[in-house]
Amino acid sequence: MCGMVYTRENFNQLLAENASLKSEVNLLQEKVQCLMKKLFGRSSEKLSPDQLELELEELRELQEALELAETKAELAEEEQKESKRGKRKGLDARIPKDLPTETIIIDPDEVLAHPELYKKIAEVRTEKLDVTPTRFFRTVIIRNKYKKRDDRSIAPLIAPAPKQLIENSYASTGLVLHIILSKYCDHLPLYRQEQIFKQRFGVEISRKTMGGWMYLVAQWLSLIYEALRNEIRASGYIQADETFIKYQDPKKDYCPNGYLWAYHSPGKGVLFEWYASRAATCLDSMLVDYAGLLQTDGYAGYTSWLNKKSHAKEKAAIIHAACWAHARRKFREVPGNPTAEDIVKRIAKLYRVERKLRNNPDLDPAAYRREHATPVMEGIKTILETERFRQLPQSNFGKAINYTLERWDALNFYLEHGRLEIDNNLVENAIRPTAIGKKNFLFFGSPDSGQTSAVIYSLIETCRKLDINPAVYLREVLTALPTMNQSEAASWTPARWKSNRETTCE
């Protein structure tokens, strides 16, 4: 049997091939571990107990007793907040005091038979929380017609018909409000509401009819919607994100992806815009002529929009900040790497600085961050630049390093601008209710219905952000809309509405 003769060239080729295969195996193993973590690991991005233990060890080595005590107190406070089993509140704290009260008095039969023989000396009170289910009823509007008794030449008199939210429709403001809240707050699709109305109340309202009402109401609300857009743009700070939602296209035999673009300004509200694509041109309506802070994730559409020659004025006027939560997420996806875990632990220090600022509103955010967060970030950058040439670019760790270093300046902007948040989580939280909704209704019924939902979601999510009861707000708005002028719409945004109510109460 003839043996194969290996030359030095063949040997070097085999070594290179072996090294390449090892590298590929390592990458595949890393991907498998990452997928296993996503499938079976914790979805929360909060620090694991092991990482907290590493942090405590570091504090012991530094022997800073005061800082250690503060950290333990902060951790205990965080664990208390995270605990799902907090101390149960009393009944008075859980039930509003201004609820209507119905009193039922129960006397013994003997007292009822001979009340003159008994004297009340005390009472035993038992409080219950009751609810009246949804109740349909007819509202009949009667306009009497009159004629003058002694002068038949004068035309009969009749009061003008009140302006309706939806003309020539039997839908009242209360019915429309109920459908809006059920769909956009309680995430009940229109076809489920149709079934509920028919099965429980014997009332038949087709989903097509309700969809038409939603469209007409959204047209009315567009006045306030545009005023909300102006408020967010004028605030000088926008957090932007986007999420996909499928929609039905009659020209296609499948449901393509559309996108709700979300723009959030802390203290002002959230505005959603619907587009059938994720192209950078979708940003035109919000960012053209905008000046101020813009905070986004790493989606390239934002930077490509700013880098267009036609947007040179906006690029000069906009400070484009990045999100530390997305950077941290990249390192959390690196399984079993001590250096990546160390970086996650260091990023946790940045978030402790933010927690300190939230608990002490009198502190100057920019100055406090420069003092406490800047040294941490310098340490992170040193590690990243060292590891950049040690890691494979296609590995999860290599991708995380490149992602962070490419956006390093944008990640540093929050140190100098006190208004900036450390991450984009506030706008992501605003998107979550829409995600629950799309799990139930699966897709929008047409390309046009996306903007209908965007308008209504904008007002409801703004109410949620500003701690406003959407039922109270929308009832007043829907009642006022038929007689509202365009110039009055600006005073009906949720922020202005809340401010006016607080001023009136004072």
Side-chain angles (χ1 to χ4, degrees), residues 43-285:
S43 59
S44 173
E45 295 183 5
K46 296 173 182 175
L47 290 178
S48 67
D50 295 336
Q51 289 169 326
L52 292 174
E53 186 177 351
L54 289 173
E55 182 63 23
L56 291 175
E57 289 178 2
E58 180 182 345
L59 292 172
R60 293 192 191 98
E61 292 174 1
L62 295 175
Q63 295 182 352
E64 295 178 359
L66 180 59
E67 183 179 353
L68 177 59
E70 290 180 354
T71 304
K72 286 183 176 180
E74 290 174 358
L75 291 174
E77 181 181 356
E78 183 177 355
E79 290 176 359
Q80 184 177 1
K81 290 180 180 179
E82 293 174 2
S83 175
K84 295 183 179 179
R85 292 186 177 181
K87 185 178 180 181
R88 190 175 184 182
K89 297 179 182 178
L91 187 63
D92 292 338
R94 288 181 284 133
I95 299 176
K97 295 181 179 179
D98 58 349
L99 282 181
T101 301
E102 178 182 336
T103 303
I104 300 175
I105 299 176
I106 303 176
D107 285 332
D109 293 338
E110 295 83 355
V111 175
L112 293 175
H114 303 284
E116 71 280 358
L117 300 179
Y118 297 90
K119 178 183 178 181
K120 178 181 174 181
I121 57 173
E123 64 181 21
V124 178
R125 300 176 67 92
T126 303
E127 292 192 12
K128 301 286 185 181
L129 183 62
D130 204 347
V131 61
T132 301
T134 300
R135 181 175 63 91
F136 282 88
F137 58 93
R138 295 173 184 266
T139 298
V140 180
I141 300 174
I142 299 176
R143 295 184 295 137
N144 294 320
K145 185 181 290 187
Y146 296 89
K147 69 175 182 177
K148 201 167 185 180
R149 294 180 185 272
D150 55 354
D151 190 351
R152 295 185 178 182
S153 62
I154 298 177
L157 297 178
I158 186 170
K163 291 188 177 181
Q164 300 296 317
L165 184 66
I166 303 175
E167 292 292 342
N168 303 318
S169 171
Y170 61 87
S172 67
T173 298
L175 177 59
V176 172
L177 176 62
H178 177 81
I179 295 171
I180 290 175
L181 295 176
S182 296
K183 179 175 181 180
Y184 295 100
C185 291
D186 304 331
H187 318 294
L188 278 176
L190 295 182
Y191 80 90
R192 290 191 190 175
Q193 295 191 53
E194 178 184 2
Q195 294 172 351
I196 291 172
F197 293 162
K198 184 176 181 179
Q199 294 172 1
R200 298 182 189 173
F201 307 101
V203 175
E204 296 187 18
I205 307 176
S206 71
R207 71 193 78 173
K208 182 178 179 180
T209 298
M210 289 188 282
W213 292 345
M214 296 300 99
Y215 172 79
L216 293 173
V217 169
Q219 296 300 306
W220 276 108
L221 293 174
S222 293
L223 295 172
I224 302 173
Y225 173 81
E226 292 301 326
L228 176 60
R229 180 199 303 277
N230 294 334
E231 277 189 356
I232 292 175
R233 282 168 51 88
S235 71
Y237 178 21
I238 295 177
Q239 294 179 321
D241 201 1
E242 71 289 333
T243 182
F244 82 93
I245 295 183
K246 294 184 178 296
Y247 68 97
Q248 284 187 322
D249 189 339
K251 299 178 182 179
K252 299 178 181 178
D253 57 357
Y254 64 95
C255 289
N257 285 340
Y259 290 87
L260 279 176
W261 293 72
Y263 304 96
H264 171 250
S265 178
K268 293 297 181 182
V270 185
L271 185 128
F272 292 93
E273 282 190 321
W274 163 258
Y275 288 98
S277 76
R278 202 186 181 197
T281 54
C282 299
L283 297 167
D284 289 350
S285 59

Side-chain angles (χ1 to χ4, degrees), residues 230-487:
N230 294 334
E231 277 189 356
I232 292 175
R233 282 168 51 88
S235 71
Y237 178 21
I238 295 177
Q239 294 179 321
D241 201 1
E242 71 289 333
T243 182
F244 82 93
I245 295 183
K246 294 184 178 296
Y247 68 97
Q248 284 187 322
D249 189 339
K251 299 178 182 179
K252 299 178 181 178
D253 57 357
Y254 64 95
C255 289
N257 285 340
Y259 290 87
L260 279 176
W261 293 72
Y263 304 96
H264 171 250
S265 178
K268 293 297 181 182
V270 185
L271 185 128
F272 292 93
E273 282 190 321
W274 163 258
Y275 288 98
S277 76
R278 202 186 181 197
T281 54
C282 299
L283 297 167
D284 289 350
S285 59
M286 197 67 183
L287 297 186
V288 168
D289 295 329
Y290 170 71
L293 303 170
L294 174 66
Q295 191 169 32
T296 70
D297 56 17
Y299 174 48
Y302 300 104
T303 53
S304 66
W305 188 91
L306 289 170
N307 289 332
K308 287 183 178 180
K309 292 182 179 179
S310 58
H311 300 146
K313 181 180 69 173
E314 286 82 2
K315 185 175 182 180
I318 291 175
I319 298 173
H320 186 196
C323 169
W324 267 107
H326 284 81
R328 177 182 61 180
R329 203 169 294 161
K330 301 291 183 182
F331 292 103
R332 286 182 56 84
E333 293 175 356
V334 182
N337 188 304
T339 307
E341 292 177 357
D342 180 49
I343 293 174
V344 173
K345 181 180 67 174
R346 290 172 183 266
I347 295 175
K349 292 182 179 180
L350 300 179
Y351 276 85
R352 273 209 300 279
V353 172
E354 298 306 300
R355 187 164 61 246
K356 190 77 172 181
L357 288 173
R358 286 195 299 271
N359 295 334
N360 297 274
D362 295 334
L363 293 174
D364 179 17
Y368 192 81
R369 287 166 177 168
R370 283 194 296 269
E371 180 181 356
H372 296 87
T374 300
V376 178
M377 295 187 68
E378 291 174 350
I380 293 174
K381 188 176 183 182
T382 301
I383 296 174
L384 295 179
E385 290 178 338
T386 302
E387 293 293 327
R388 186 175 198 173
F389 303 102
R390 297 179 181 176
Q391 305 298 326
L392 293 171
Q394 295 303 314
S395 66
N396 284 354
F397 196 15
K399 291 179 180 178
I401 292 172
N402 291 330
Y403 178 93
T404 306
L405 289 178
E406 287 172 0
R407 297 163 177 80
W408 188 254
D409 291 340
L411 288 168
N412 275 266
F413 280 143
Y414 90 102
L415 297 177
E416 302 298 328
H417 300 273
R419 292 186 64 193
L420 272 172
E421 298 284 337
I422 190 174
D423 55 35
N424 221 28
N425 283 351
L426 291 177
V427 69
E428 289 193 349
N429 291 340
I431 288 176
R432 286 181 182 176
T434 68
I436 299 174
K438 73 181 179 183
K439 285 183 179 179
N440 289 341
F441 56 70
L442 301 180
F443 49 79
F444 290 139
S446 68
D448 295 333
S449 64
Q451 187 58 23
T452 296
S453 293
V455 171
I456 300 175
Y457 269 134
S458 297
L459 297 179
I460 286 179
E461 287 309 305
T462 297
C463 286
R464 188 174 69 90
K465 285 288 186 181
L466 301 182
D467 197 23
I468 296 172
N469 185 341
V472 176
Y473 168 75
L474 285 176
R475 179 173 286 279
E476 289 195 17
V477 169
L478 295 179
T479 302
L481 274 175
T483 58
M484 185 184 300
N485 296 324
Q486 188 171 358
S487 59

Side-chain angles (χ1 to χ4, degrees), residues 24-41:
E24 185 176 353
V25 168
N26 290 334
L27 289 175
L28 290 174
Q29 287 179 341
E30 187 179 76
K31 290 181 179 180
V32 169
Q33 292 179 13
C34 184
L35 288 172
M36 293 292 288
K37 182 179 179 181
K38 287 183 177 180
L39 286 173
F40 305 109

